[in-house]
Amino acid sequence: MCKVKNIRERPAPVNKDVSPTVPPWPGPVTKSLHKGSSNDGSPQKGYSCVSTATRDLWDRLFDEGYKADVSVNTDDGGIIYAHANILGMASPVIKGQLKQSNRFRRQRSISIRGVPVDAVRVFIRFLYSSCYEMKEMEAFVVHLLVLAHVYVVPQLKQECEKKLEHGLLTIDNVVDIFQLALLCDAPRLSLICHRMILKNFKTVCTTRGWKTMKKSHPTLEKELVESMIEEDTRQKERIKKINERKIYMLLYEAMEALVHIYEDGCRTIGPSDKDFKENQAPCKYVACKGLELLVRHFAGCKLRVPGGCIHCKRMWQLLELHSRLCSDSHNCRVPLCRNFKERIKKQSKKDEIRWKMLVKKILTTKRIAGAPFVSSAFVSTLWQ
């Protein structure tokens, strides 16, 4: 076997004339463990470590204009001094305007026209500290909504929509806000305004905003009128369906009470083999009271033919309806149940379709309602 000698490497000679290597400047921090940030440095949602003193400091920076490097020109010759870096970071639109201003070597300035000077000041202040005074919001909410949309400041836009939704939206300004919401792409606000207009349509039509819209935007006024007509039609249909459901439930209750009277007996009326007690428990069928009167009248009326008495006619209809709902006519104790079953076979096709639709609606309404619809209105319906 060959042996290999261990040779120690000598250290390289140091050149005393060469200066030591300077370490590079540290780059951006990739990890941060302070409060309000996750391990990857991104801010955690739902947590803010900004104190009131810090917000006041940003407000002071705006109010005092310390080392401001951009001027904001407003109407009536107003000038508001601000900091380009802050405005550019808060609004991408202003950032583009500042870049264009630098390209043409102009003085760093932007113009915000068409709104009051105080509204522009509130807007610029919000870009600094995301704060505002409630009185200022109430006074300039419309202008701030426009500025927030034009200069793409979503936080301010959401704040304006929220304040309008929770108190600042009134019948007097709802038409103006509705038009503004359509222009500023605020779908929730436009929907709220639309509902408010339809709900208070007669009052809204007398406002100044409606009259102005009628002259400037007749197409929008026409669409709102058509929406009101459609909403009124839908409301009438809803009321009609609710009333129909009530009638169908009353008829179902009447069928249950009719079987109860002729099988079990109730109060002072019932089958011949029924022994009535003096102290009976209260009847759970509300329709029994009206049916008891109707049955007594039907038993003693001399014009009992279907076309002779209106109350007897109602009784005939109830008996026929029962026979269509009854599943065991051979053992049923309700009078004429089997006779009506035989009569059904001889009815015209038109009458058969009408009765089938009525039975279907009654059963459908019963399934939708679940528990019986308890109402004393059946008594008045029977005697109409």
Side-chain angles (χ1 to χ4, degrees):
M1 295 180 63
C2 298
K3 294 183 179 180
V4 180
K5 295 181 179 180
N6 294 330
I7 302 174
R8 296 183 180 178
E9 295 182 357
R10 296 180 180 180
V14 179
N15 190 355
K16 298 181 179 180
D17 296 333
V18 180
S19 60
T21 306
V22 180
W25 189 263
V29 179
T30 57
K31 292 186 178 180
S32 178
L33 300 178
H34 64 81
K35 291 184 178 180
S37 298
S38 59
N39 293 336
D40 59 354
S42 60
Q44 295 179 354
K45 294 182 179 179
Y47 180 83
S48 174
C49 57
V50 179
S51 63
T52 306
T54 305
R55 291 195 296 267
D56 293 341
L57 183 63
W58 285 104
D59 284 337
R60 281 182 55 200
L61 181 63
F62 167 65
D63 293 335
E64 297 177 7
Y66 178 70
K67 288 190 177 183
D69 55 353
V70 63
S71 59
V72 181
N73 301 319
T74 64
D75 289 343
D76 300 327
I79 299 177
I80 300 173
Y81 295 100
H83 301 80
N85 291 338
I86 295 176
L87 299 187
M89 292 300 294
S91 169
V93 177
I94 296 180
K95 185 177 183 179
Q97 291 178 345
L98 292 172
K99 284 183 178 180
Q100 189 176 6
S101 177
N102 287 339
R103 184 182 304 173
F104 292 100
R105 296 182 180 179
R106 299 175 183 171
Q107 183 182 1
R108 305 193 68 162
S109 65
I110 59 174
S111 297
I112 300 179
R113 309 284 185 180
V115 292
V117 181
D118 293 335
V120 179
R121 185 176 296 278
V122 175
F123 172 68
I124 299 296
R125 180 194 175 191
F126 188 87
L127 299 184
Y128 274 77
S129 61
S130 298
C131 297
Y132 59 87
E133 298 293 338
M134 192 58 201
K135 292 182 179 179
E136 295 174 340
M137 175 62 75
E138 293 176 358
F140 304 114
V141 62
V142 175
H143 305 292
L144 293 175
L145 179 60
V146 174
L147 291 172
H149 174 71
V150 172
Y151 292 98
V152 192
V153 186
Q155 186 179 359
L156 178 58
K157 187 176 181 180
Q158 293 174 4
E159 202 66 27
C160 293
E161 292 178 14
K162 189 186 300 181
K163 295 303 178 185
L164 284 167
E165 182 181 349
H166 295 93
L168 298 183
L169 186 65
T170 62
I171 293 178
D172 293 330
N173 65 7
V174 64
V175 177
D176 297 328
I177 301 299
F178 177 62
Q179 298 177 81
L180 188 61
L182 294 175
L183 293 173
C184 294
D185 190 23
R188 176 178 173 82
L189 181 60
S190 62
L191 178 62
I192 293 171
C193 293
H194 188 263
R195 288 177 177 175
M196 189 174 186
I197 291 172
L198 297 183
K199 187 177 180 180
N200 307 276
F201 189 75
K202 292 183 178 179
T203 308
V204 172
C205 287
T206 60
T207 60
R208 184 178 179 181
W210 180 273
K211 295 176 182 178
T212 305
M213 180 195 65
K214 191 175 182 179
K215 295 179 181 179
S216 59
H217 298 90
T219 305
L220 184 59
E221 185 259 350
K222 183 180 178 181
E223 291 177 356
L224 285 173
V225 172
E226 291 175 353
S227 298
M228 183 60 203
I229 295 173
E230 292 176 1
E231 179 64 23
D232 187 53
T233 304
R234 285 195 294 266
Q235 184 68 19
K236 289 180 180 179
E237 287 294 329
R238 284 194 291 267
I239 294 174
K240 182 180 177 181
K241 288 182 179 180
I242 291 173
N243 292 334
E244 286 179 354
R245 286 181 182 177
K246 289 181 179 180
I247 292 173
Y248 296 145
M249 287 306 302
L250 291 173
L251 288 173
Y252 190 89
E253 283 186 358
M255 295 301 100
E256 289 184 327
L258 194 67
V259 174
H260 164 66
I261 287 174
Y262 284 102
E263 287 189 357
D264 304 326
C266 182
R267 296 187 181 94
T268 60
I269 188 171
S272 57
D273 56 349
K274 174 72 176 179
D275 294 331
F276 295 100
K277 300 178 182 179
E278 295 183 359
N279 298 324
Q280 292 187 10
C283 180
K284 64 177 182 178
Y285 297 97
V286 181
C288 273
K289 185 177 181 180
L291 273 176
E292 183 180 354
L293 297 175
L294 193 61
V295 170
R296 287 186 179 279
H297 170 83
F298 183 75
C301 182
K302 297 179 181 180
L303 301 174
R304 197 164 46 181
V305 292
C309 175
I310 186 174
H311 303 304
C312 292
K313 181 181 178 181
R314 184 65 55 84
M315 189 63 192
W316 283 108
Q317 291 173 343
L318 292 176
L319 291 173
E320 183 171 358
L321 180 60
H322 162 77
S323 68
R324 291 179 176 274
L325 290 168
C326 184
S327 58
D328 189 8
S329 300
H330 295 282
N331 299 320
C332 182
R333 303 188 68 176
V334 177
L336 305 177
C337 184
R338 292 178 61 186
N339 295 345
F340 275 111
K341 285 285 187 184
E342 295 295 328
R343 183 185 171 187
I344 288 172
K345 301 176 182 179
K346 301 177 182 179
Q347 278 186 339
S348 64
K349 189 174 181 180
K350 184 178 179 180
D351 292 338
E352 181 68 16
I353 292 174
R354 190 180 71 247
W355 277 104
K356 281 185 176 180
M357 288 180 62
L358 178 61
V359 171
K360 183 179 179 181
K361 289 181 178 179
I362 290 174
L363 295 177
T364 303
T365 305
K366 171 62 180 175
R367 284 196 297 269
I368 293 174
F373 183 85
V374 179
S375 173
S376 59
F378 182 72
V379 179
S380 59
T381 356
L382 289 173
W383 294 95
Q384 287 180 355

